[in-house]
Amino acid sequence: MAKADTKFCDLILKDREERTYQHFTGKLLDYLELVKKNPKLVDLAHQRLYELLIADGMELVKAEETPRLKRIYGNETLKRYHYFNRDFFGIDKSIMKIMRYFHSAAMRGEESRQVLYLVGPVGAGKSSIVEALKKALEMSPPIYVIEGCPIREEPLHLIPKHLRPRFEELLGVKIEGDLCPVCRYRLKNEFKGEYERFPITTADFSIRSRKGIGVVPPVDPNNQDTSVLCGSVDISKLDLYPEDDPRVLSLNGAFNVGNRGIVEFIEVFKNDVEYLHAMITATQEKSVPSPGKGSMLYFDGVILAHSNESEWNKFKADHTNEAILDRIVKVEVPYCLELDEEVKIYRKILAQSNFDAHIAPHTIEVASRFAILSRLSPSAKVSPMTKLKIYNGEEIVEQGTTKKLDIMELRDEAVREGMSGISTRFIMKAIDTALSESETNCINPIAIIDTLVRAVKEMAIGEDERKRYLAFLQDDIKKEYNLILEKEVTRAFIHGYRDQAESLFNSYLDHAEAFANSTKIKDRNTGEELEPDVKFLQSIEEQIGISGSAASGFRQDVTSYMFSVMRTGGKIDYCCYEPLKEAIEKKLTVSVKELSRVITKARVRDQEQDTKYNAMVEEMSRNGYCDHCCNVVLKYAANNLWKD
């Protein structure tokens, strides 16, 4: 117990020691010395946030160097920012656009005077991205502020404008902005204009405490009050001070609170247009109105806004909104369309929950397939399931030809793809329902399909759309799952036939090598020299659709690959070359399918059958099945995969 206490104390003391230097109290002259040593202290909001986001690092990914990524992105180069990689999947391009905005804004480009606006369907991740940006700011080191300033402004604002060029030269920084009315009053009356004596301190960021992070929720147009944005006049002080006295100002609006940080507009276009005019001056002029008869206030902050696409389209259609539209950098945040990335989303959310139930293999994948199928636009070129596989980076050859299907052509005919369909929240609610209803603390693909069917039937959508969704679940997804399950069960069953698989593999290698080298093969038992058995080779190759002239190339490829494995000291067995492995398993599957059917259905087994069945169950257990879900899927397989 003493050791544990020591660890806690060490952690606390180390953190306190590291943070001690971050707390500062001094005069402007002291601050000037700090700035001279570290000009980064006066970075503006966009630059500070950009550097926080890239602090974790960034990875340049050349899609052309990875076969799967090349099929998805062609020859593009992706930038993956580690800060976002932990929580966001399948929206790399949206993240790249957001970071492009921050990079340009950090360089004081035009984007530094623009609103970053995220638009997309519900549950696509807009709010989560904004939360991630706010959390980055919340975890940042404190900033230096004028002590007692209601808007936490930059201390260099105290320097008179006529001296700023000289100070900029000495400090190596650019001084931007003006003193707020409150600090100007204090400078004149408390410090008699001696700005070098003005106290400076540090301040941190906090979402809950409204420190450097302001939030503007949608407001009823009939009850809108700009005080939410710019603060108000404290009526209780009007008896003490004149109406134009800075001491009557209550600067607690979102722009005041978010100065030097972030101001978030939730469902921004649900507000009345007049209510948004403050955004125009805050972006382009970097100033906002002060309450009452006060002067304009300098504003340095990142303005984030987000809404659904319907709100954007409605706002954009009104030409009178051009002034606001011209000050917006729009970034679309669509639904994820990559199966592998969609699966990561649900696994992340489940990892954050308290559910501890067992989830059978392919369960999350089945739910993810439904989500993505609902988001894809119909195409005359491919079926929805084929399109899903192409978007996931799988290599698909056009039926009847050797031409590979082009993902770019599919995208060109569906430019709005990913902006509608089933949301992530809908799928998670279905998974939660299945987990909550499970009496065995285990869910499987069959259960999740049933749960999704019930959920779709209860959705408030059009009948045609409901029929389309149900067809995905009851037809496309079930057929795809049946194919996956059949392959998995038969592979597990074939595991008991491993010796037979190895024998087929070795025989194939001998005959393929002899064929490729135009030599004869020596019978291991009789020593007789024989011609390569082409019919035997064909019986295996046809299992994966290889025939005719393609067979010679395949045999050559197999032989070359095996020699390369031998040269590098690798292990050669029937599993080492995936296409040949699949062909051998399919060859065995043809011969054992009937036995597999008997074993999965049989209530009374003989000793040999029981041994094979137990070996299959053991293999499925190694593949991630528990006793319950293994029993469920084997019964399902018996009833659905090998019907007479």
Side-chain angles (χ1 to χ4, degrees), residues 581-605:
K581 173 176 179 269
E582 183 181 352
I584 289 171
E585 287 180 345
K586 284 190 174 181
K587 173 78 173 172
L588 281 172
T589 300
V590 171
S591 61
V592 303
K593 186 174 287 187
E594 179 62 20
L595 183 56
S596 178
R597 182 181 67 81
V598 171
I599 287 180
T600 52
K601 283 189 173 182
R603 293 183 179 179
V604 180
R605 305 183 186 92

Short mmCIF file of all heavy atoms in Angstrom, two decimals, residues 581-605:
data_model
loop_
_atom_site.label_atom_id
_atom_site.label_comp_id
_atom_site.label_asym_id
_atom_site.label_seq_id
_atom_site.Cartn_x
_atom_site.Cartn_y
_atom_site.Cartn_z
N LYS A 581 -3.87 -21.62 -51.30
CA LYS A 581 -4.53 -22.08 -50.06
C LYS A 581 -6.05 -22.11 -50.25
O LYS A 581 -6.71 -23.09 -49.89
CB LYS A 581 -4.17 -21.12 -48.92
CG LYS A 581 -4.90 -21.38 -47.61
CD LYS A 581 -4.37 -20.42 -46.54
CE LYS A 581 -5.08 -20.62 -45.21
NZ LYS A 581 -6.25 -19.76 -45.07
N GLU A 582 -6.58 -21.02 -50.83
CA GLU A 582 -8.03 -20.95 -51.06
C GLU A 582 -8.48 -22.05 -52.02
O GLU A 582 -9.51 -22.69 -51.81
CB GLU A 582 -8.39 -19.58 -51.63
CG GLU A 582 -9.88 -19.39 -51.84
CD GLU A 582 -10.22 -18.02 -52.41
OE1 GLU A 582 -9.30 -17.17 -52.51
OE2 GLU A 582 -11.39 -17.81 -52.78
N ALA A 583 -7.69 -22.30 -53.07
CA ALA A 583 -8.05 -23.33 -54.05
C ALA A 583 -8.07 -24.71 -53.42
O ALA A 583 -8.99 -25.52 -53.66
CB ALA A 583 -7.07 -23.29 -55.22
N ILE A 584 -7.05 -25.01 -52.60
CA ILE A 584 -6.99 -26.32 -51.94
C ILE A 584 -8.15 -26.50 -50.98
O ILE A 584 -8.76 -27.58 -50.91
CB ILE A 584 -5.62 -26.48 -51.23
CG1 ILE A 584 -4.51 -26.65 -52.27
CG2 ILE A 584 -5.64 -27.66 -50.26
CD1 ILE A 584 -3.11 -26.61 -51.70
N GLU A 585 -8.46 -25.45 -50.22
CA GLU A 585 -9.58 -25.54 -49.27
C GLU A 585 -10.90 -25.76 -49.99
O GLU A 585 -11.76 -26.51 -49.53
CB GLU A 585 -9.61 -24.29 -48.40
CG GLU A 585 -8.48 -24.25 -47.38
CD GLU A 585 -8.50 -23.01 -46.50
OE1 GLU A 585 -9.21 -22.05 -46.86
OE2 GLU A 585 -7.81 -23.00 -45.47
N LYS A 586 -11.06 -25.06 -51.12
CA LYS A 586 -12.30 -25.26 -51.88
C LYS A 586 -12.37 -26.67 -52.45
O LYS A 586 -13.44 -27.26 -52.52
CB LYS A 586 -12.39 -24.22 -52.99
CG LYS A 586 -12.78 -22.83 -52.50
CD LYS A 586 -13.09 -21.89 -53.64
CE LYS A 586 -13.63 -20.56 -53.10
NZ LYS A 586 -13.97 -19.63 -54.19
N LYS A 587 -11.23 -27.18 -52.88
CA LYS A 587 -11.18 -28.56 -53.39
C LYS A 587 -11.59 -29.53 -52.30
O LYS A 587 -12.38 -30.46 -52.53
CB LYS A 587 -9.75 -28.86 -53.86
CG LYS A 587 -9.49 -30.29 -54.25
CD LYS A 587 -10.03 -30.60 -55.61
CE LYS A 587 -9.58 -32.00 -56.05
NZ LYS A 587 -10.25 -32.42 -57.29
N LEU A 588 -11.07 -29.32 -51.10
CA LEU A 588 -11.44 -30.18 -49.98
C LEU A 588 -12.90 -29.98 -49.58
O LEU A 588 -13.59 -30.92 -49.20
CB LEU A 588 -10.53 -29.91 -48.78
CG LEU A 588 -9.14 -30.57 -48.83
CD1 LEU A 588 -8.30 -30.07 -47.68
CD2 LEU A 588 -9.26 -32.08 -48.78
N THR A 589 -13.34 -28.71 -49.65
CA THR A 589 -14.71 -28.41 -49.27
C THR A 589 -15.71 -29.17 -50.12
O THR A 589 -16.72 -29.67 -49.63
CB THR A 589 -14.98 -26.89 -49.41
OG1 THR A 589 -14.09 -26.19 -48.58
CG2 THR A 589 -16.40 -26.55 -49.01
N VAL A 590 -15.42 -29.27 -51.40
CA VAL A 590 -16.32 -30.01 -52.30
C VAL A 590 -16.46 -31.44 -51.83
O VAL A 590 -17.55 -32.02 -51.82
CB VAL A 590 -15.77 -29.96 -53.75
CG1 VAL A 590 -16.55 -30.90 -54.65
CG2 VAL A 590 -15.85 -28.55 -54.29
N SER A 591 -15.35 -32.02 -51.39
CA SER A 591 -15.39 -33.42 -51.00
C SER A 591 -15.93 -33.64 -49.60
O SER A 591 -16.43 -34.72 -49.30
CB SER A 591 -13.99 -34.03 -51.11
OG SER A 591 -13.11 -33.36 -50.24
N VAL A 592 -15.85 -32.63 -48.74
CA VAL A 592 -16.28 -32.83 -47.35
C VAL A 592 -17.59 -32.13 -47.04
O VAL A 592 -18.09 -32.23 -45.92
CB VAL A 592 -15.21 -32.35 -46.35
CG1 VAL A 592 -13.90 -33.04 -46.59
CG2 VAL A 592 -15.05 -30.84 -46.41
N LYS A 593 -18.18 -31.41 -48.01
CA LYS A 593 -19.37 -30.62 -47.71
C LYS A 593 -20.50 -31.51 -47.18
O LYS A 593 -21.18 -31.16 -46.22
CB LYS A 593 -19.84 -29.85 -48.93
CG LYS A 593 -20.99 -28.91 -48.64
CD LYS A 593 -21.33 -28.05 -49.84
CE LYS A 593 -20.28 -26.99 -50.05
NZ LYS A 593 -20.65 -26.02 -51.09
N GLU A 594 -20.68 -32.65 -47.81
CA GLU A 594 -21.75 -33.54 -47.36
C GLU A 594 -21.49 -34.02 -45.94
O GLU A 594 -22.38 -34.03 -45.09
CB GLU A 594 -21.86 -34.74 -48.31
CG GLU A 594 -22.95 -35.75 -47.93
CD GLU A 594 -24.35 -35.15 -47.96
OE1 GLU A 594 -24.55 -34.11 -48.61
OE2 GLU A 594 -25.25 -35.70 -47.30
N LEU A 595 -20.23 -34.37 -45.66
CA LEU A 595 -19.87 -34.80 -44.31
C LEU A 595 -20.05 -33.65 -43.33
O LEU A 595 -20.53 -33.84 -42.21
CB LEU A 595 -18.43 -35.31 -44.30
CG LEU A 595 -17.92 -35.88 -42.96
CD1 LEU A 595 -18.81 -37.00 -42.48
CD2 LEU A 595 -16.48 -36.36 -43.12
N SER A 596 -19.70 -32.44 -43.77
CA SER A 596 -19.88 -31.27 -42.93
C SER A 596 -21.34 -31.08 -42.59
O SER A 596 -21.71 -30.78 -41.46
CB SER A 596 -19.32 -30.04 -43.65
OG SER A 596 -19.52 -28.89 -42.88
N ARG A 597 -22.20 -31.30 -43.60
CA ARG A 597 -23.65 -31.16 -43.37
C ARG A 597 -24.13 -32.18 -42.35
O ARG A 597 -24.90 -31.86 -41.43
CB ARG A 597 -24.40 -31.34 -44.69
CG ARG A 597 -25.91 -31.18 -44.58
CD ARG A 597 -26.56 -31.40 -45.91
NE ARG A 597 -26.44 -32.78 -46.35
CZ ARG A 597 -27.24 -33.76 -45.91
NH1 ARG A 597 -28.20 -33.50 -45.06
NH2 ARG A 597 -27.06 -34.99 -46.33
N VAL A 598 -23.65 -33.38 -42.49
CA VAL A 598 -24.08 -34.44 -41.57
C VAL A 598 -23.62 -34.14 -40.16
O VAL A 598 -24.38 -34.27 -39.19
CB VAL A 598 -23.51 -35.80 -42.04
CG1 VAL A 598 -23.75 -36.87 -40.98
CG2 VAL A 598 -24.15 -36.21 -43.35
N ILE A 599 -22.37 -33.68 -40.04
CA ILE A 599 -21.82 -33.44 -38.70
C ILE A 599 -22.53 -32.28 -38.01
O ILE A 599 -22.83 -32.35 -36.82
CB ILE A 599 -20.30 -33.17 -38.80
CG1 ILE A 599 -19.59 -34.49 -39.09
CG2 ILE A 599 -19.77 -32.57 -37.51
CD1 ILE A 599 -18.10 -34.36 -39.21
N THR A 600 -22.81 -31.20 -38.73
CA THR A 600 -23.45 -30.05 -38.09
C THR A 600 -24.90 -30.33 -37.74
O THR A 600 -25.46 -29.70 -36.87
CB THR A 600 -23.39 -28.81 -38.99
OG1 THR A 600 -23.91 -29.12 -40.28
CG2 THR A 600 -21.97 -28.30 -39.12
N LYS A 601 -25.52 -31.30 -38.44
CA LYS A 601 -26.92 -31.61 -38.14
C LYS A 601 -27.08 -32.80 -37.20
O LYS A 601 -28.08 -32.91 -36.50
CB LYS A 601 -27.65 -31.91 -39.45
CG LYS A 601 -28.00 -30.67 -40.27
CD LYS A 601 -28.90 -31.04 -41.42
CE LYS A 601 -29.39 -29.79 -42.14
NZ LYS A 601 -30.32 -30.10 -43.24
N ALA A 602 -26.12 -33.70 -37.23
CA ALA A 602 -26.30 -34.97 -36.53
C ALA A 602 -26.44 -34.77 -35.02
O ALA A 602 -25.67 -34.05 -34.42
CB ALA A 602 -25.12 -35.89 -36.82
N ARG A 603 -27.44 -35.41 -34.46
CA ARG A 603 -27.59 -35.37 -33.00
C ARG A 603 -26.76 -36.46 -32.34
O ARG A 603 -26.26 -36.30 -31.24
CB ARG A 603 -29.07 -35.54 -32.64
CG ARG A 603 -29.94 -34.37 -33.09
CD ARG A 603 -31.36 -34.55 -32.64
NE ARG A 603 -32.20 -33.43 -33.05
CZ ARG A 603 -33.50 -33.35 -32.80
NH1 ARG A 603 -34.12 -34.31 -32.15
NH2 ARG A 603 -34.19 -32.29 -33.21
N VAL A 604 -26.68 -37.59 -33.02
CA VAL A 604 -25.88 -38.71 -32.50
C VAL A 604 -24.74 -38.94 -33.48
O VAL A 604 -24.96 -39.20 -34.65
CB VAL A 604 -26.74 -39.98 -32.37
CG1 VAL A 604 -25.88 -41.12 -31.83
CG2 VAL A 604 -27.93 -39.73 -31.47
N ARG A 605 -23.52 -38.82 -32.99
CA ARG A 605 -22.36 -38.96 -33.85
C ARG A 605 -21.56 -40.19 -33.44
O ARG A 605 -21.51 -40.55 -32.26
CB ARG A 605 -21.45 -37.73 -33.76
CG ARG A 605 -22.12 -36.41 -34.03
CD ARG A 605 -21.09 -35.29 -33.99
NE ARG A 605 -21.74 -33.99 -34.11
CZ ARG A 605 -22.14 -33.26 -33.08
NH1 ARG A 605 -21.92 -33.70 -31.85
NH2 ARG A 605 -22.74 -32.11 -33.27
#
